[in-house]
Amino acid sequence: MQQSYEPTGAGPDGGAARVLVVDDDPTVAEVVAGYLDRAGYRVDRADDGPAALARAAAHRPDLVVLDLMLPGMDGLEVCRRMRERGPVPVIMLTARGDEDDRILGLEVGADDYVTKPFSPRELVLRVESVLRRARPATARQRPLYAAGLNVDPAARRVTRDGTELALTLREFDLLVFFLRNPGRAYSREDLMREVWGWEFGDLSTVTVHIRRLRGKVEDDPARPRLIQTVWGVGYRFEPTTTPETAEREA
């Protein structure tokens, strides 16, 4: 059965979201831009890294669809520079099948990736899924506190012992989910469904984000005390863990 979808085209502020499509293949860019336009998004296009950065500076996008293989400046560098200017969701496009390349894209701040060749309809669904996570949910905006972390879901701002943390969209959502559900073990499949909103996908995505989040919220990421590994199950958030317990389970 063909999957149906009803993309809204809405951005975090409720208006039509602006999506920047960056790909040096004019056919791919035209098809992607066409599908996104019909789904109700405002679409900008760029065919190389410098043009993408210039477009993003002129009109801040709500999301970027970014090809990994670009002439001159590759997608990884473009992603890094965009992240330096502030948080923006990024979906990476890659023609490579090597897992290391996909993981590297996630590690520089991409929120999702799609491997070429891909279904444009699926890409629209991925765009909608990422943007949905960026929209404020008025019923769940109360601040969250645990283990020196202060999370403001409404402002999408996190501080740790008074110092603001730079989290990607997915890292933020993952942390909020853990703070709202402490003490319970979740599998990677659970986290992909609850945080990413996907029923299926590459579970290494979850692993990479856990590692990145630990690097920002743990005193010693190599011996995590907050986000613990539960062997054979997945992960558990323990805001009141003792060092001895963490050492046994990390």
Side-chain angles (χ1 to χ4, degrees):
M1 179 182 295
Q2 188 177 40
Q3 187 176 10
S4 63
Y5 67 97
E6 298 180 0
T8 66
D13 62 358
R18 182 182 296 275
V19 179
L20 174 59
V21 178
V22 187
D23 199 306
D24 64 323
D25 185 327
T27 301
V28 172
E30 183 176 353
V31 170
V32 170
Y35 269 78
L36 290 170
D37 179 72
R38 288 191 292 275
Y41 297 99
R42 294 176 294 171
V43 183
D44 291 331
R45 288 172 53 179
D47 58 9
D48 60 30
L53 295 174
R55 287 277 190 179
H59 300 286
R60 184 71 177 172
D62 295 300
L63 181 142
V64 181
V65 177
L66 178 62
D67 189 24
L68 177 64
M69 300 298 292
L70 293 171
M73 182 189 302
D74 66 22
L76 295 177
E77 181 62 23
V78 175
C79 187
R80 287 190 188 97
R81 296 193 185 189
M82 285 189 176
R83 294 289 305 163
E84 289 173 355
R85 297 179 179 179
V88 59
V90 174
I91 296 178
M92 195 79 77
L93 302 181
T94 173
R96 300 178 180 179
D98 188 80
E99 183 178 359
D100 290 341
D101 293 315
R102 300 196 299 269
I103 290 176
L104 186 57
L106 295 171
E107 288 184 334
V108 299
D111 297 281
D112 193 6
Y113 65 86
V114 177
T115 303
K116 296 180 181 179
F118 57 85
S119 162
R121 289 172 59 86
E122 178 188 354
L123 179 59
V124 171
L125 284 170
R126 295 290 187 98
V127 168
E128 172 62 17
S129 175
V130 171
L131 285 174
R132 187 185 305 117
R133 299 289 169 170
R135 296 177 194 140
T138 56
R140 296 174 66 83
Q141 295 303 297
R142 63 179 180 82
L144 302 166
Y145 309 93
L149 296 167
N150 184 336
V151 180
D152 184 345
R156 298 192 69 83
R157 183 172 181 264
V158 181
T159 59
R160 180 172 183 261
D161 298 327
T163 300
E164 186 163 0
L165 303 181
L167 302 186
T168 67
L169 174 69
R170 294 298 189 191
E171 291 166 3
F172 182 90
D173 290 339
L174 187 58
L175 179 60
V176 168
F177 181 80
F178 276 137
L179 263 67
R180 286 176 175 156
N181 299 277
R184 176 179 171 183
Y186 290 92
S187 68
R188 292 188 299 171
E189 291 87 350
D190 291 334
L191 294 172
M192 180 161 284
R193 181 176 58 254
E194 297 294 336
V195 178
W196 276 256
W198 306 343
E199 290 297 332
F200 60 89
D202 188 342
L203 296 179
S204 65
T205 298
V206 177
T207 306
V208 170
H209 281 80
I210 290 287
R211 184 169 69 245
R212 286 178 53 85
L213 185 58
R214 281 172 167 169
K216 297 176 181 181
V217 304
E218 299 280 0
D219 292 327
D220 181 0
R223 303 172 72 181
R225 296 177 55 188
L226 297 176
I227 304 173
Q228 298 180 13
T229 297
V230 182
W231 297 112
V233 180
Y235 305 97
R236 180 178 64 231
F237 184 73
E238 287 287 0
T240 58
T241 303
T242 65
E244 294 78 11
T245 303
E247 287 173 8
R248 289 198 302 269
E249 300 196 12

